[in-house]
Amino acid sequence: MDRLLVTGGSGLLGSNVAYLASTRFDTLFTYNAHQVNIRNCTGVKMDLGDRERVGAVVREFSPHIIIHTAAILGKQCDENLGLAQTTNVDGTGYIAVSAKEVGAKLIHISTDWIFDGKKELNTEDDEPNYLNEYGRTKVKGEEAVQASGASYCIIRTSLYGWNLRVGKLSYQERVLDSLKKNEEFYAPDDQFYNPILVNILAEALFEIYAKDITGILNVASSEVCSRYQFCRTMAEVFGLNSDLVRPVGFSPAYFGIPAPKHQSLDVSKAKGLLETKLPVIREGLSEMKRLRDTGYVTRLRREDKEALHG
Ligand SMILES: NC(=O)c1ccc[n+]([C@@H]2O[C@H](COP(=O)([O-])OP(=O)(O)OC[C@H]3O[C@@H](n4cnc5c(N)ncnc54)[C@H](OP(=O)(O)O)[C@@H]3O)[C@@H](O)[C@H]2O)c1
């Protein structure tokens, strides 16, 4: 079995990747502030800002593949400039240099927020032009990966899914939460993106490793929609009242920082390379519902202390 190191195992993407990988890889995941338990995986604490610790974890496990999901996201970066730099830029550099040292393939998770949102659909060849500190540090993180000499694939994506940690809600889980409580949810009808379910993204990442795809690759849904359309479709798929989803004009106030108006990623290249089907929005959301209905979320959280005692 190949050894896989997943950073950010306590996060939305990392926990699902580690859980799904655990039957196919010898899987070690890292967490930082939030200790979690994941089926058939070993978890270790690792602060990306601690160069020695990052090097030691990678050398000791000597993975064949590293999926680097850990990061500080969104507004938190503007609120903690130093932390965003040490985590998203320096820490990513430590991971990349360590990957090179042990000969691991590095799959680095980047974002659609590295663009300024002027172009409707960004390809892998478009030059990043960020609007905020999150975008800046993710661009610098990509550059650190590219400069490291490691074999890498940088994944630019937008994502949603079920969190392992019970009290931690993704944007989409917050939509469901509000609608279930019969509360209105406001979403921009003039801001566009193509997020993908983390479970489908994880399958794409495993395929990228198996096929040794390198370079930069956009992996997202194959359909673009506004946040408003996304939330309405979500309500419909989950059998909730879609009239509670209200349109609102796009403005920086929505995210607390300047954000790109068009966040969509052109996935033509990925479609040509991958057998993993990149779904349209309704398909992805239907799969998210199916996962809940068939007990996936319960199983994902089964071994986690927070879920057991929370
Ligand atoms: N969520 C989205 O909408 C989205 C969209 C596009 C791209 N992405 C990218 O996808 C990746 C995963 O996002 P996500 O939504 O899964 O994030 P998340 O749920 O916020 O999880 C972030 C993870 O990073 C870890 N982390 C934070 N600071 C750290 C540090 N100093 N040292 C080590 N680990 C640290 C956290 O660990 P603790 O909680 O244990 O501290 C957590 O496991 C990120 O690289 C992000 O840029 C996300």
Side-chain angles (χ1 to χ4, degrees):
M1 244 189 198
D2 283 2
R3 289 180 298 280
L4 163 66
L5 173 64
V6 182
T7 71
S10 46
L12 170 59
L13 177 60
S15 58
N16 283 280
V17 167
Y19 179 84
L20 294 168
S22 64
T23 52
R24 321 172 205 191
F25 294 87
D26 177 2
T27 309
L28 179 76
F29 70 86
T30 72
Y31 58 88
N32 188 36
H34 302 97
Q35 184 177 3
V36 296
N37 294 299
I38 303 175
R39 169 191 75 176
N40 292 338
C41 300
T42 306
V44 292
K45 181 168 164 63
M46 186 193 79
D47 183 347
L48 277 169
D50 183 343
R51 182 203 295 246
E52 298 300 318
R53 176 73 181 141
V54 172
V57 167
V58 175
R59 271 194 303 277
E60 198 173 306
F61 187 57
S62 193
H64 298 88
I65 162 177
I66 301 175
I67 300 183
H68 178 42
T69 80
I72 306 283
L73 280 75
K75 194 168 71 160
Q76 282 181 303
C77 294
D78 288 72
E79 290 169 350
N80 304 280
L81 298 179
L83 191 62
Q85 172 70 30
T86 53
T87 308
N88 295 359
V89 186
D90 304 342
T92 295
Y94 305 152
I95 287 286
V97 167
S98 303
K100 161 82 178 157
E101 202 183 314
V102 301
K105 165 83 179 266
L106 174 59
I107 297 186
H108 169 65
I109 308 301
S110 190
T111 176
D112 50 353
W113 280 54
I114 60 168
F115 296 111
D116 58 18
K118 290 187 180 144
K119 199 177 161 198
E120 288 189 9
L121 214 50
N122 280 105
T123 71
E124 288 83 354
D125 296 328
D126 288 326
E127 277 299 312
N129 188 24
Y130 45 82
L131 296 178
N132 53 47
E133 193 60 12
Y134 176 46
R136 188 191 76 78
T137 56
K138 292 298 283 188
V139 170
K140 297 294 168 196
E142 286 191 4
E143 289 171 3
V145 168
Q146 289 168 315
S148 68
S151 169
Y152 70 84
C153 188
I154 291 171
I155 308 298
R156 292 179 180 156
T157 188
S158 174
L159 53 91
Y160 65 92
W162 298 108
N163 264 292
L164 173 122
R165 288 180 46 223
V166 172
K168 178 178 182 297
L169 299 184
S170 62
Y171 177 88
Q172 290 75 11
E173 286 170 300
R174 281 197 283 121
V175 178
L176 287 180
D177 196 49
S178 294
L179 301 186
K180 275 190 215 151
K181 291 179 186 156
N182 233 18
E183 291 169 3
E184 292 176 333
F185 191 93
Y186 287 84
D189 60 355
D190 55 354
Q191 190 200 23
F192 302 91
Y193 71 160
N194 51 345
I196 188 166
L197 182 69
V198 287
N199 301 68
I200 300 170
L201 175 57
E203 294 304 330
L205 300 180
F206 301 147
E207 190 183 346
I208 284 161
Y209 172 63
K211 291 186 169 159
D212 197 16
I213 294 168
T214 56
I216 298 176
L217 194 63
N218 292 341
V219 183
S221 282
S222 56
E223 182 188 24
V224 169
C225 66
S226 71
R227 282 194 182 254
Y228 171 72
Q229 286 164 335
F230 184 94
C231 296
R232 283 201 59 113
T233 307
M234 183 166 216
E236 287 163 16
V237 167
F238 280 82
L240 297 162
N241 182 0
S242 57
D243 290 340
L244 288 170
V245 180
R246 304 275 193 205
V248 63
F250 166 67
S251 86
Y254 193 74
F255 294 102
I257 47 172
K261 186 176 167 76
H262 293 282
Q263 301 180 356
S264 313
L265 299 165
D266 185 328
V267 292
S268 316
K269 186 176 165 188
K271 278 181 162 175
L273 290 171
L274 301 177
E275 274 156 55
T276 306
K277 190 168 176 288
L278 303 179
V280 295
I281 297 299
R282 190 173 286 271
E283 283 171 335
L285 286 168
S286 299
E287 177 61 7
M288 184 184 185
K289 178 174 181 295
R290 191 192 69 79
L291 289 172
R292 185 200 63 184
D293 294 347
T294 54
Y296 171 84
V297 187
T298 309
R299 290 193 298 279
L300 174 70
R301 294 172 177 168
R302 184 165 289 155
E303 292 183 27
D304 189 46
K305 280 194 195 113
E306 197 178 332
L308 290 174
H309 303 298

